[in-house]
Amino acid sequence: MHQPSTTPRPSLYYRYQVHAPWLPSAHPPQPRHPVVIAGAGPAGLVTALELARHGVPSVVLNAELQVSAGSRAIVFTRRTLEILQQVGVAGRLMADGLPWRCGNSFYRGQRVFRMEAPHDDDDRFGPMLNIQQQFLEEHLLDACAATGLVDLRWGNRLEQVDQRGDHALLTIDTPAGPYTLQADWLVAADGGRSGIRSQLGLQMEGASFESLFVIADIRIDLPYPTERLAFFDPDWNRGNTILMHREPHGIWRVDYQLPPGETPEQALQPESMRTRIDAQLAMIGHAGTPWEMDWSSVYSARTLTLPDYVVGRVLFAGDAAHLLPIFGVRGANTAFQDAQALGWQLACVVRGTAGPALLGNYSAERVGAAREIIDEAGKSTRFMAPPSRGFRLLRDAVLSLSLTQDFVRPLYHWRTSRPHAYTRSALNCLDDDDALFSAGPGHGAPPQNVRLGDDHFLLDHIGAGFHLLVFTTGALPADVQRVVQSQRDRGVPLRVLAIGAAQPVAGADAHLADGDGRVRLRYAVPADGAAYLLRPDQHVCARWLALDADRLQAALATALPA
């Protein structure tokens, strides 16, 4: 019988709430559910919210009775905040978090590289935001409750998955004993140690690095801005790397690499941690500054992915699908992109507007994204924690030369996480004008936000469903309007925005003035009549120099395969 802890987790800055368990004895016999999600971390909760945005209910199983232990993921990118804006929590995160855009690398007491992430006036959000994962999960849980479509079950641990062709039979344990549940689809968002992945006997592909890092969250008052600090080969930890990040509520994250052969158990001994953190503080000129430990853990850098995220009726997302190194803030930020992609595609399958082949596309796109990230992250990881003598010699040569030679300093760049462009997606229209555009977001690209006024941006108007952006001031052609209505009649959410119109436009659901031509410029629109078709995850799947009803129909058929 599953007995999760009922003692609130300790924390210097966060007050944990212990929730009442969901017990089968208090509920009637369970019907077959369209979607069950195992795991109530960021990937699971955002998937539930994406499904809810498309009207699909879900059951979310959380083995624990409270949100995650420790700060865990703390750095969230601009694209993550755009995704979280869609599910209604970005504003709360921005109010509580610490924005930043610069990273600094130090060697032998000298700053040898400073990274400045790009940011311009068309970006609603900054490049990065620091906030502890507990606050994120709390805001996501509030958003789930507000939908009325997410059945969150605290203290419910998935024990067994039995696939039955057109559904999965789930055995779930609770503090009152087990029960069974049928689900058309099971989303495995149960983390890096996924029990579902183990039950199905699945193996990840890629590499694991031997180096171990300690994460230590400490409460301390340090007079530094919110910027990433990286220290290479310090005197107190020769050959290794230390990272520091400011968090809200007076917390600092200190990550330090362990020497070869030291075990996690040895590394987490209080005296060992105190000695090393004191040495790091002394190195930056703050010896003797009082501090308190809040939370600590050990991690290793891994670049691994499942080769397929769809296994029968089970769909993988987040760390259950891939394990990525934290260098470049890739872990949780990649999980949000998984959840957004899975949410809309699974919703279309459940609602019957597309066939199960669409889920194969989810797997192909996100496995491709993971492999791209692994390639980039591997470069960062080999620099941060060289896996062999050869890589260490190369890294040490860069360190030494960087003291006097500018040309090697960009090699310190940590290749920050970025949204994947689905350039070769099967959902991209092959009979459009993508190749004729001189610039702008092309096939599979994420959207480009554009400032339309004070605190008013293009992506504020892009909600759930497909969006057709038509650059026009006149009425949409009648045959285009008929295609739009026919799609809506069969249940496809499709919204039409007239860009550049100061007055309502016949056939458009809304109009957005573009008096200074900012949207037209960013989307490289040469003349009136051009159009973009955005998928529900806002990625471009078609664009035309002149909108055509037949090609619009074909593009939607491609994006929603039977």
Side-chain angles (χ1 to χ4, degrees), residues 218-261:
I218 63 174
R219 183 161 64 184
I220 187 172
D221 183 16
L222 293 176
Y224 300 118
T226 307
E227 296 185 352
R228 172 189 179 267
L229 306 175
F231 303 87
F232 292 88
D233 192 30
D235 289 341
W236 72 266
N237 196 11
R238 296 308 300 269
N240 293 324
T241 304
I242 298 93
L243 306 175
M244 294 185 69
H245 271 286
R246 178 187 289 277
E247 303 175 40
H249 304 283
I251 303 296
W252 276 84
R253 163 74 58 84
V254 182
D255 291 32
Y256 57 85
Q257 189 178 359
L258 297 176

Side-chain angles (χ1 to χ4, degrees), residues 320-405:
H322 44 68
L323 294 171
L324 307 172
I326 68 167
F327 311 125
V329 298
R330 292 176 170 88
N333 291 290
T334 302
F336 290 117
Q337 294 172 46
D338 290 345
Q340 183 193 42
L342 176 57
W344 81 264
Q345 292 178 78
L346 180 54
C348 288
V349 173
V350 170
R351 291 169 58 89
T353 55
L358 188 59
L359 297 177
N361 176 77
Y362 159 73
S363 177
E365 289 185 349
R366 294 311 301 162
V367 170
R371 287 179 170 152
E372 177 186 84
I373 292 166
I374 284 171
D375 182 59
E376 286 291 304
K379 297 172 186 176
S380 299
T381 303
R382 287 189 291 272
F383 190 84
M384 302 292 287
S388 68
R389 182 173 180 272
F391 279 114
R392 182 169 295 279
L393 287 171
L394 180 62
R395 197 279 299 270
D396 290 349
V398 171
L399 295 179
S400 180
L401 285 169
S402 68
L403 293 174
T404 57
Q405 304 297 319

Side-chain angles (χ1 to χ4, degrees), residues 269-341:
Q269 291 295 316
E271 186 57 35
S272 172
M273 299 187 70
R274 178 162 293 279
T275 298
R276 283 162 162 161
I277 292 172
D278 283 344
Q280 175 63 15
L281 294 176
M283 188 185 75
I284 62 174
H286 292 277
T289 301
W291 59 271
E292 296 177 85
M293 179 70 69
D294 181 72
W295 173 76
S296 61
S297 185
V298 174
Y299 70 89
S300 62
R302 289 170 287 183
T303 51
L304 300 167
T305 182
L306 288 173
D308 195 335
Y309 295 173
V310 179
V311 181
R313 290 277 155 173
V314 182
L315 314 168
F316 287 85
D319 286 352
H322 44 68
L323 294 171
L324 307 172
I326 68 167
F327 311 125
V329 298
R330 292 176 170 88
N333 291 290
T334 302
F336 290 117
Q337 294 172 46
D338 290 345
Q340 183 193 42

Side-chain angles (χ1 to χ4, degrees), residues 100-118:
W100 62 281
R101 61 175 298 197
C102 297
N104 303 281
S105 296
F106 298 88
Y107 176 62
R108 293 285 185 261
Q110 178 178 327
R111 188 174 74 185
V112 290
F113 181 67
R114 179 172 173 83
M115 177 204 75
E116 294 190 12

Side-chain angles (χ1 to χ4, degrees), residues 136 157 179 184 186 195 201 213 217 224 227 259 297 327 335 547:
L136 168 67
R157 185 175 68 192
Y179 69 101
D184 292 336
L186 170 66
F213 281 76
D217 276 359
Y224 300 118
E227 296 185 352
S297 185
F327 311 125
L547 185 59

Side-chain angles (χ1 to χ4, degrees), residues 45 50-51 108 129 158 165 193 211 227 302 330-331 357 369 371 400 404 407 443 453 468 499 515:
L45 293 176
E50 281 293 329
L51 289 167
R108 293 285 185 261
L129 183 81
L158 180 61
R193 299 176 180 176
S211 294
E227 296 185 352
R302 289 170 287 183
R330 292 176 170 88
R371 287 179 170 152
S400 180
T404 57
F407 79 94
H443 276 173
L468 182 63
I499 308 294

